[in-house]
Amino acid sequence: MSEPTSQPEAQFVAELTACQLPLTLYIRSLLPGDSGAGDVAQQTNAKIWEKRDEFEPGTNFKAWAFAIARYEVLNYRKQQARDARFVFSQELEQTIASEIEDTDDLEERQEALRLCLQELRPRDRELLVSRYASSATLAEYAEVVGRSVGGLKVTLHRLRTALLECMKRRLSKWGTA
């Protein structure tokens, strides 16, 4: 039999649960295409839970959680640097983090992207999803799909532009652009 949950703890769990999608999108936006983003999200949740006594009820939970996430991303990047992987400069990370924190419409953007991806031809959608889910270089990926690097660049640019225009239209209709 489990112990009853206290009211503040239940409220904290509710705040944390409600924040999961924006938190995940925030972390993924700071680690674009990085397969470790899921691990960082999980680590962030563990850290948020560990620090739950430090949260002041009535303050902005999302801002507090995003700050913890930003530090977890920085820790992850430091670990990558020790492993001699590619990293953004600290200045660029802070710029990106600041811009993303200022947007409250991450969920709307995610939904617009999902809907716009559905509008693409299946082979174009598969190309985009496969390319950005892959950790291979563009040259390696071009070889895998049997295309020239230049041709693949043009196609990806065209598809990204189409997605951007589609998202702008949708967000404008929804009043979040």
Side-chain angles (χ1 to χ4, degrees):
M1 184 173 189
S2 64
E3 292 183 29
T5 305
S6 69
Q7 180 64 23
E9 193 166 284
Q11 181 62 34
F12 186 86
V13 170
E15 295 263 14
L16 181 58
T17 302
C19 190
Q20 283 305 292
L21 181 59
L23 190 63
T24 301
L25 295 174
Y26 177 68
I27 291 168
R28 289 192 184 280
S29 67
L30 293 176
L31 299 168
D34 193 313
S35 61
D39 293 338
V40 173
Q42 196 171 29
Q43 182 62 34
T44 299
N45 279 314
K47 187 63 79 176
I48 288 170
W49 185 254
E50 186 181 302
K51 292 179 169 271
R52 67 186 181 276
D53 291 336
E54 297 175 22
F55 177 70
E56 295 179 30
T59 60
N60 188 335
F61 183 85
K62 184 177 168 186
W64 181 74
F66 276 32
I68 291 172
R70 188 173 54 247
Y71 283 113
E72 289 304 314
V73 167
L74 289 173
N75 287 337
Y76 176 73
R77 294 257 184 232
K78 286 178 188 171
Q79 179 65 40
Q80 283 185 315
R82 283 192 290 269
D83 294 344
R85 293 184 181 175
F86 173 76
V87 294
F88 292 136
S89 71
Q90 192 169 11
E91 181 182 338
L92 179 58
E93 287 177 356
Q94 288 176 349
T95 300
I96 292 170
S98 295
E99 289 185 15
I100 292 170
E101 285 174 8
D102 290 341
T103 60
D104 285 334
D105 60 351
L106 288 175
E107 292 173 41
E108 288 86 5
R109 289 176 185 265
Q110 177 74 13
E111 180 63 11
L113 176 60
R114 187 184 66 76
L115 292 172
C116 290
L117 277 169
Q118 289 176 349
E119 290 181 8
L120 293 177
R121 295 180 304 185
R123 73 175 191 208
D124 290 339
R125 184 174 47 248
E126 184 179 326
L127 177 67
L128 274 174
V129 171
S130 296
R131 170 62 190 128
Y132 292 109
S134 168
S135 60
T137 65
L138 186 61
E140 292 168 343
Y141 188 72
E143 189 174 321
V144 168
V145 295
R147 297 185 57 176
S148 71
V149 172
L152 192 55
K153 276 184 183 177
V154 169
T155 301
L156 289 170
H157 176 76
R158 181 181 53 79
L159 292 173
R160 285 191 305 263
T161 301
L163 279 177
L164 180 62
E165 292 304 317
C166 175
M167 288 179 65
K168 284 179 181 176
R169 279 192 315 273
R170 286 193 179 276
L171 292 171
S172 178
K173 273 188 201 173
W174 298 343
T176 54

